[in-house]
Amino acid sequence: QLAYMVVPRKVGLRLTNFKQVVVPCPMLPKYKNGTLSKSEYCQHVALSLRTWSYHLIYNALSKERSEEERRQMVDLFYNRVSSRLDTFDVPPSLPYTIAIMVMQKCDLTC
């Protein structure tokens, strides 16, 4: 479902098509066929989560801590996430949702 946001009318771009695609977890088949161990698979899931949320967690830590200390704390957090995932009987998969937007450049009256 397309979420609309309020933007000035004269932006010079028009959204002509929008499509949402769900891509299955790319690492899950490697785990299922034994190419990746459960622990390796869980590390990949944690790394994927990290790419999306690292700065959110890093910036939530007090600025009174040094940058190095904050980095170490974030590393520790994701190591713990990976370890926790490894305790599940069936580790979670991480599918991706991709938004494909086709935009048309137009004059400022569109």
Side-chain angles (χ1 to χ4, degrees):
Q1 192 176 26
L2 181 59
Y4 294 95
M5 60 182 177
V6 177
V7 295
R9 180 140 174 82
K10 297 179 180 183
V11 294
L13 292 174
R14 176 183 293 143
L15 178 64
T16 59
N17 196 356
F18 179 89
K19 182 178 177 182
Q20 199 170 348
V21 179
V22 176
V23 178
C25 178
M27 293 295 162
L28 189 58
K30 292 180 180 184
Y31 167 64
K32 286 185 173 182
N33 73 18
T35 304
L36 288 176
S37 70
K38 182 179 173 188
S39 181
E40 291 169 324
Y41 172 74
C42 292
Q43 288 173 1
H44 279 282
V45 171
L47 286 172
S48 291
L49 293 170
R50 181 184 180 114
T51 62
W52 299 330
S53 58
Y54 175 88
H55 291 288
L56 176 73
I57 294 169
Y58 177 86
N59 288 325
L61 296 170
S62 172
K63 303 289 189 268
E64 292 179 12
R65 299 178 185 273
S66 71
E67 288 185 20
E68 181 59 27
E69 185 180 9
R70 288 188 283 164
R71 280 193 292 272
Q72 289 175 357
M73 292 177 78
V74 174
D75 289 344
L76 177 62
F77 172 79
Y78 286 106
N79 288 337
R80 288 181 177 173
V81 167
S82 179
S83 295
R84 179 70 174 115
L85 292 173
D86 203 11
T87 66
F88 295 173
D89 290 335
V90 178
S93 66
L94 194 61
Y96 299 86
T97 302
I98 300 171
I100 302 168
M101 296 184 290
V102 178
M103 307 292 282
Q104 176 186 14
K105 188 174 180 179
C106 54
D107 63 29
L108 293 180
T109 62
C110 68

